């Protein structure tokens, strides 16, 4: 049984811990019943015990009061780790869906979201990995409500990934505990503008709609080249934001726009080495391949 789970990009600027979107970059997980649980990645075989995919798999059995069935989980990872592209969420969703398949339980995406959030905590990466598209998720007394937004226009997501990792805990530790009313209103207004503009296809509003005062500038201090890249992308695309907790920086561009040539010239002036990928929106969420 094989599942593929998309990479995700959370926050989308002002929608801290709420908004996210799914991308056409995938991790694959193949589950085979076995005598002992193992994780197989390329030539490497390791114990499953502390692995996030397996922990999520086992947690799902626990939830449904089943005895954990030992499995070999063959992993193909294309989503880079600790870069703000939802690699942990992909592992969590992969593990849970694997358990559903082994348990022969009917797939229920809302139920899967609930289990994923008991493991992960922040809904903005797991929701799009489950539902695809752009998602907005809120937690009300432990119950999660997700709306799935299908943007009117098709976009290219220009993904700039640096050659260094930034752990989410570190990127959260630099955020203030309190914010001013002005900053709160700033983010509420941009979030409303962003969502309505995506739905209505008002691309000219995206740059303003992606602005944020809750997390990006604080985290930018941890990321070399942050200001220069933001300026370059804001001048050359429809707008940009810090993907998840970073350090990846994401720009939204018209589908047929290419900035590759300009970026290749610009990147020589940067301190870090940044890889550029051109991705598109995933609209399915996780898929069961067989
Ligand atoms: N919303 C989360 C954050 C995403 O920005 O910290 C990473 O889990």
């Amino acid at each position: 049984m094989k599942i593929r789970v998309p990479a995700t990009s959370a926050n989308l600027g002002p929608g801290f811990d709420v908004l996210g979107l799914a991308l056409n970059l995938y991790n694959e997980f193949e589950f085979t019943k076995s005598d002992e649980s193992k994780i197989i990645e390329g030539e490497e075989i390791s114990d499953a015990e502390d692995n996030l995919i397996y922990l999520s798999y086992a947690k799902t059995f626990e939830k449904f009061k089943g005895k954990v069935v030992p499995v070999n989980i063959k992993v193909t990872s294309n989503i880079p780790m600790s870069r703000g592209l939802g690699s942990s969420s992909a592992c969590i969703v992969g593990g849970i869906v694997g358990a559903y398949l082994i348990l022969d339980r009917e797939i229920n995406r809302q139920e899967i979201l609930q289990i994923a959030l008991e493991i992960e905590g922040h809904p903005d990466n797991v929701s799009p990995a489950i539902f695809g598209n752009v998602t907005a998720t809120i937690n009300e007394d432990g119950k999660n409500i997700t709306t799935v937004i299908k943007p009117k226009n098709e976009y290219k997501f220009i993904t700039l990934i640096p050659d260094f990792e930034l752990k989410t805990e570190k990127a959260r530790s630099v955020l203030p505990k309190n914010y001013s009313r002005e900053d709160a209103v700033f983010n509420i207004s941009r979030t409303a503008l962003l969502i309505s503009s995506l739905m209505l296809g008002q691309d000219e509003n995206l740059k303003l709609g992606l602005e944020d005062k809750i997390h990006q500038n604080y985290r930018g201090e941890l990321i070399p080249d942050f200001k220069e890249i933001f300026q370059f992308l804001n001048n050359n695309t429809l707008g940009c934001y810090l993907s998840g907790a970073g350090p990846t920086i994401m720009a939204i561009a018209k589908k047929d726009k290419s900035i590759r040539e300009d970026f290749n010239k610009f990147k020589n002036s940067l301190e870090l080495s940044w890889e550029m990928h051109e991705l598109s929106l995933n609209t399915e969420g996780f898929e069961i391949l067989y």
Side-chain angles (χ1 to χ4, degrees):
M1 282 170 260
K2 193 169 179 177
I3 304 150
R4 73 171 197 183
V5 186
T8 53
S9 177
N11 298 326
L12 313 191
F16 181 68
D17 280 356
V18 174
L19 300 180
L21 57 82
L23 296 161
N24 68 335
L25 175 71
Y26 303 95
N27 279 1
E28 292 183 348
F29 308 97
E30 191 172 2
F31 290 79
T32 316
K33 286 185 197 171
S34 181
D35 298 335
E36 220 187 331
S37 291
K38 293 277 176 204
I39 304 292
I40 305 163
E41 203 160 0
E43 302 290 296
E44 236 176 81
I45 302 179
S46 53
D47 285 341
E49 294 308 303
D50 298 325
N51 180 279
L52 187 57
I53 311 158
Y54 179 75
L55 290 173
S56 309
Y57 171 84
K59 164 107 191 163
T60 310
F61 275 82
E62 206 180 285
K63 178 106 190 151
F64 297 123
K65 308 208 177 343
K67 190 168 175 305
V68 182
V69 176
V71 274
N72 283 341
I73 309 175
K74 199 170 158 199
V75 185
T76 310
S77 296
N78 297 306
I79 309 171
M81 284 168 56
S82 298
R83 298 300 209 289
L85 288 167
S87 63
S88 305
S89 293
C91 290
I92 292 169
V93 172
I96 299 172
V97 179
Y100 269 65
L101 297 179
I102 299 283
L103 281 162
D104 204 17
R105 187 177 172 90
E106 196 185 333
I107 296 292
N108 174 333
R109 289 181 191 249
Q110 200 59 50
E111 194 180 74
I112 290 170
L113 173 67
Q114 199 65 34
I115 301 171
L117 287 174
E118 284 165 26
I119 301 167
E120 156 76 32
H122 313 133
D124 45 346
N125 277 119
V126 283
S127 286
I130 294 169
F131 297 101
N133 297 288
V134 175
T135 57
T137 308
I138 66 159
N139 185 305
E140 173 73 8
D141 296 334
K143 189 172 179 297
N144 294 284
I145 299 161
T146 298
T147 51
V148 178
I149 299 138
K150 294 179 195 270
K152 182 167 178 193
N153 294 337
E154 259 184 73
Y155 300 109
K156 182 183 274 183
F157 291 86
I158 299 174
T159 311
L160 298 186
I161 310 173
D163 58 353
F164 90 103
E165 298 186 355
L166 179 57
K167 298 267 180 229
T168 300
E169 305 84 73
K170 181 159 186 211
R172 287 184 89 83
S173 72
V174 297
L175 303 183
K177 294 241 175 325
N178 298 298
Y179 296 90
S180 66
R181 186 194 296 178
E182 285 77 13
D183 285 357
V185 172
F186 185 97
N187 269 56
I188 294 164
S189 60
R190 268 57 180 185
T191 307
L193 182 71
L194 176 65
I195 294 302
S196 54
S197 301
L198 285 172
M199 292 175 77
L200 297 169
Q202 292 174 344
D203 292 346
E204 66 281 11
N205 292 336
L206 293 183
K207 204 166 288 169
L208 204 55
L210 289 167
E211 287 181 344
D212 157 73
K213 287 206 176 174
I214 301 275
H215 71 113
Q216 291 189 156
N217 287 339
Y218 302 103
R219 290 170 161 174
E221 299 291 324
L222 303 173
I223 304 169
D225 306 321
F226 174 81
K227 284 198 182 105
E228 293 78 5
I229 292 185
F230 257 59
Q231 194 175 12
F232 171 81
L233 291 174
N234 271 330
N235 288 339
N236 289 283
T237 67
L238 297 172
C240 66
Y241 63 92
L242 187 65
S243 183
T248 291
I249 299 174
M250 183 73 68
I252 305 181
K254 289 206 187 288
K255 204 178 148 215
D256 51 5
K257 171 91 178 171
S258 177
I259 63 162
R260 201 170 275 283
E261 220 175 288
D262 289 335
F263 179 70
N264 283 344
K265 284 186 212 144
F266 165 73
K267 73 178 184 186
N268 297 325
S269 65
L270 299 174
E271 192 182 322
L272 298 180
S273 163
W274 294 77
E275 243 179 57
M276 185 175 122
H277 295 261
E278 296 184 324
L279 301 175
S280 53
L281 192 72
N282 162 283
T283 56
E284 316 296 328
F286 70 79
E287 283 172 275
I288 295 155
L289 301 178
Y290 53 81

